[in-house]
Amino acid sequence: MGATVEDDFELYDLRVEVVAPEGARLWCNAKVGDYFELRGEMLYLPPGQGVSIYSLSAALPLLAAKQRETDANDWMSTDAEVACPDPNCPTRFKITRTGKRRFSHSAVTAVPLPGEPS
């Protein structure tokens, strides 16, 4: 079955950038300004750049929520930085919404919407 307007939804694209206090020693091998982008379900890193899986583990649970529209009063709408899980590392990931992308339910899952034939 083809996509219809009724099964469309939008997600924010995200840019997740390493920030830290000036002159701070970063223990996770990141560099201030390193980043990755999340577009839909795909994570993109610039060529030659990596990201610590330990630091990434702190941000991952929040990314799906940051991709979705939230109420202006929800903390998810205002809080943008996630701390590195190492208590000795001052690194943070700053999450910025960079644009919106439209998806079709029927293009991203085999599970039909309620009322649609399976």
Short mmCIF file of all heavy atoms in Angstrom, two decimals, residues 86-110:
data_model
loop_
_atom_site.label_atom_id
_atom_site.label_comp_id
_atom_site.label_asym_id
_atom_site.label_seq_id
_atom_site.Cartn_x
_atom_site.Cartn_y
_atom_site.Cartn_z
N ASP A 86 31.23 9.91 32.59
CA ASP A 86 32.40 9.89 33.47
C ASP A 86 32.36 11.13 34.36
O ASP A 86 32.44 12.25 33.86
CB ASP A 86 33.68 9.90 32.62
CG ASP A 86 34.96 9.87 33.44
OD1 ASP A 86 34.92 10.18 34.66
OD2 ASP A 86 36.01 9.58 32.85
N PRO A 87 32.22 10.98 35.67
CA PRO A 87 32.10 12.15 36.54
C PRO A 87 33.35 13.04 36.56
O PRO A 87 33.30 14.17 37.00
CB PRO A 87 31.85 11.54 37.93
CG PRO A 87 32.36 10.15 37.84
CD PRO A 87 32.21 9.71 36.41
N ASN A 88 34.47 12.53 36.03
CA ASN A 88 35.70 13.32 35.98
C ASN A 88 35.89 14.05 34.64
O ASN A 88 36.85 14.79 34.47
CB ASN A 88 36.92 12.42 36.23
CG ASN A 88 36.85 11.82 37.61
OD1 ASN A 88 36.76 12.53 38.61
ND2 ASN A 88 36.85 10.50 37.67
N CYS A 89 34.99 13.82 33.71
CA CYS A 89 35.11 14.41 32.37
C CYS A 89 34.10 15.54 32.22
O CYS A 89 32.90 15.34 32.45
CB CYS A 89 34.88 13.35 31.30
SG CYS A 89 35.16 13.94 29.62
N PRO A 90 34.54 16.74 31.84
CA PRO A 90 33.62 17.88 31.72
C PRO A 90 32.88 17.94 30.39
O PRO A 90 32.13 18.88 30.15
CB PRO A 90 34.58 19.07 31.86
CG PRO A 90 35.84 18.59 31.24
CD PRO A 90 35.94 17.13 31.62
N THR A 91 33.08 16.95 29.54
CA THR A 91 32.45 16.94 28.22
C THR A 91 30.93 16.90 28.33
O THR A 91 30.37 16.22 29.19
CB THR A 91 32.92 15.71 27.41
OG1 THR A 91 34.32 15.71 27.36
CG2 THR A 91 32.35 15.71 26.02
N ARG A 92 30.29 17.62 27.43
CA ARG A 92 28.83 17.56 27.29
C ARG A 92 28.51 17.46 25.81
O ARG A 92 29.27 17.92 24.97
CB ARG A 92 28.17 18.81 27.86
CG ARG A 92 28.32 18.94 29.36
CD ARG A 92 27.54 20.14 29.88
NE ARG A 92 27.63 20.24 31.31
CZ ARG A 92 26.82 19.63 32.18
NH1 ARG A 92 25.85 18.88 31.74
NH2 ARG A 92 26.97 19.78 33.47
N PHE A 93 27.37 16.86 25.52
CA PHE A 93 26.82 16.87 24.17
C PHE A 93 25.73 17.92 24.13
O PHE A 93 24.79 17.88 24.93
CB PHE A 93 26.19 15.52 23.81
CG PHE A 93 27.14 14.48 23.32
CD1 PHE A 93 27.10 13.20 23.84
CD2 PHE A 93 28.06 14.76 22.32
CE1 PHE A 93 27.95 12.21 23.39
CE2 PHE A 93 28.91 13.77 21.85
CZ PHE A 93 28.86 12.50 22.38
N LYS A 94 25.83 18.87 23.22
CA LYS A 94 24.79 19.87 23.02
C LYS A 94 23.92 19.41 21.85
O LYS A 94 24.41 19.22 20.74
CB LYS A 94 25.40 21.24 22.72
CG LYS A 94 24.36 22.31 22.52
CD LYS A 94 25.01 23.65 22.25
CE LYS A 94 23.94 24.70 22.03
NZ LYS A 94 24.53 25.98 21.64
N ILE A 95 22.62 19.23 22.12
CA ILE A 95 21.69 18.72 21.11
C ILE A 95 20.90 19.90 20.54
O ILE A 95 20.23 20.62 21.28
CB ILE A 95 20.71 17.69 21.73
CG1 ILE A 95 21.50 16.55 22.39
CG2 ILE A 95 19.75 17.17 20.67
CD1 ILE A 95 20.65 15.62 23.24
N THR A 96 20.99 20.07 19.22
CA THR A 96 20.31 21.16 18.54
C THR A 96 19.39 20.61 17.46
O THR A 96 19.82 19.77 16.66
CB THR A 96 21.35 22.12 17.89
OG1 THR A 96 22.27 22.55 18.88
CG2 THR A 96 20.66 23.31 17.26
N ARG A 97 18.16 21.07 17.45
CA ARG A 97 17.23 20.71 16.37
C ARG A 97 17.58 21.57 15.16
O ARG A 97 17.62 22.79 15.27
CB ARG A 97 15.79 20.96 16.82
CG ARG A 97 15.33 20.00 17.89
CD ARG A 97 13.98 20.40 18.43
NE ARG A 97 13.39 19.34 19.26
CZ ARG A 97 12.32 19.50 20.00
NH1 ARG A 97 11.69 20.67 20.03
NH2 ARG A 97 11.85 18.50 20.72
N THR A 98 17.84 20.93 14.03
CA THR A 98 18.32 21.68 12.86
C THR A 98 17.30 21.79 11.73
O THR A 98 17.51 22.57 10.81
CB THR A 98 19.60 21.03 12.30
OG1 THR A 98 19.32 19.68 11.92
CG2 THR A 98 20.72 21.08 13.33
N GLY A 99 16.26 21.03 11.76
CA GLY A 99 15.25 21.06 10.70
C GLY A 99 14.28 19.93 10.92
O GLY A 99 14.42 19.16 11.87
N LYS A 100 13.29 19.84 10.05
CA LYS A 100 12.32 18.75 10.15
C LYS A 100 12.36 17.92 8.89
O LYS A 100 12.63 18.42 7.80
CB LYS A 100 10.90 19.31 10.33
CG LYS A 100 10.60 19.75 11.73
CD LYS A 100 9.13 20.11 11.88
CE LYS A 100 8.80 20.46 13.30
NZ LYS A 100 7.39 20.84 13.44
N ARG A 101 12.04 16.66 9.05
CA ARG A 101 12.01 15.71 7.96
C ARG A 101 10.69 14.95 8.05
O ARG A 101 10.27 14.57 9.12
CB ARG A 101 13.21 14.77 8.10
CG ARG A 101 13.49 13.88 6.96
CD ARG A 101 14.80 13.13 7.19
NE ARG A 101 15.93 14.04 7.37
CZ ARG A 101 16.71 14.47 6.38
NH1 ARG A 101 16.48 14.06 5.15
NH2 ARG A 101 17.71 15.29 6.62
N ARG A 102 10.05 14.73 6.91
CA ARG A 102 8.75 14.04 6.87
C ARG A 102 8.96 12.57 6.53
O ARG A 102 9.77 12.24 5.67
CB ARG A 102 7.84 14.70 5.83
CG ARG A 102 6.44 14.11 5.78
CD ARG A 102 5.49 14.96 4.98
NE ARG A 102 5.19 16.23 5.64
CZ ARG A 102 4.33 16.38 6.64
NH1 ARG A 102 3.70 15.34 7.14
NH2 ARG A 102 4.11 17.56 7.17
N PHE A 103 8.25 11.73 7.26
CA PHE A 103 8.31 10.28 7.05
C PHE A 103 6.90 9.74 6.86
O PHE A 103 5.93 10.37 7.26
CB PHE A 103 8.94 9.58 8.27
CG PHE A 103 10.37 9.96 8.49
CD1 PHE A 103 10.69 11.06 9.28
CD2 PHE A 103 11.39 9.24 7.90
CE1 PHE A 103 12.01 11.42 9.48
CE2 PHE A 103 12.71 9.60 8.09
CZ PHE A 103 13.02 10.70 8.89
N SER A 104 6.83 8.57 6.30
CA SER A 104 5.57 7.87 6.12
C SER A 104 5.59 6.62 6.99
O SER A 104 6.54 5.83 6.92
CB SER A 104 5.40 7.49 4.65
OG SER A 104 4.36 6.55 4.50
N HIS A 105 4.56 6.44 7.79
CA HIS A 105 4.46 5.26 8.65
C HIS A 105 4.65 3.99 7.84
O HIS A 105 5.42 3.11 8.22
CB HIS A 105 3.10 5.26 9.38
CG HIS A 105 2.91 4.08 10.28
ND1 HIS A 105 2.41 2.88 9.83
CD2 HIS A 105 3.15 3.92 11.60
CE1 HIS A 105 2.36 2.03 10.83
NE2 HIS A 105 2.80 2.63 11.92
N SER A 106 3.98 3.90 6.71
CA SER A 106 4.04 2.68 5.91
C SER A 106 5.41 2.44 5.29
O SER A 106 5.71 1.32 4.88
CB SER A 106 2.97 2.71 4.82
OG SER A 106 3.15 3.82 3.97
N ALA A 107 6.27 3.44 5.26
CA ALA A 107 7.62 3.27 4.71
C ALA A 107 8.64 2.88 5.77
O ALA A 107 9.75 2.47 5.42
CB ALA A 107 8.07 4.56 4.02
N VAL A 108 8.29 2.99 7.06
CA VAL A 108 9.27 2.71 8.11
C VAL A 108 8.91 1.52 8.99
O VAL A 108 9.68 1.17 9.87
CB VAL A 108 9.51 3.97 9.00
CG1 VAL A 108 10.11 5.09 8.17
CG2 VAL A 108 8.25 4.42 9.70
N THR A 109 7.75 0.91 8.76
CA THR A 109 7.37 -0.26 9.55
C THR A 109 6.41 -1.15 8.77
O THR A 109 5.64 -0.65 7.93
CB THR A 109 6.71 0.15 10.90
OG1 THR A 109 6.40 -1.04 11.64
CG2 THR A 109 5.45 0.95 10.70
N ALA A 110 6.45 -2.44 9.07
CA ALA A 110 5.53 -3.38 8.45
C ALA A 110 4.21 -3.44 9.21
O ALA A 110 3.23 -4.02 8.73
CB ALA A 110 6.16 -4.78 8.40
#
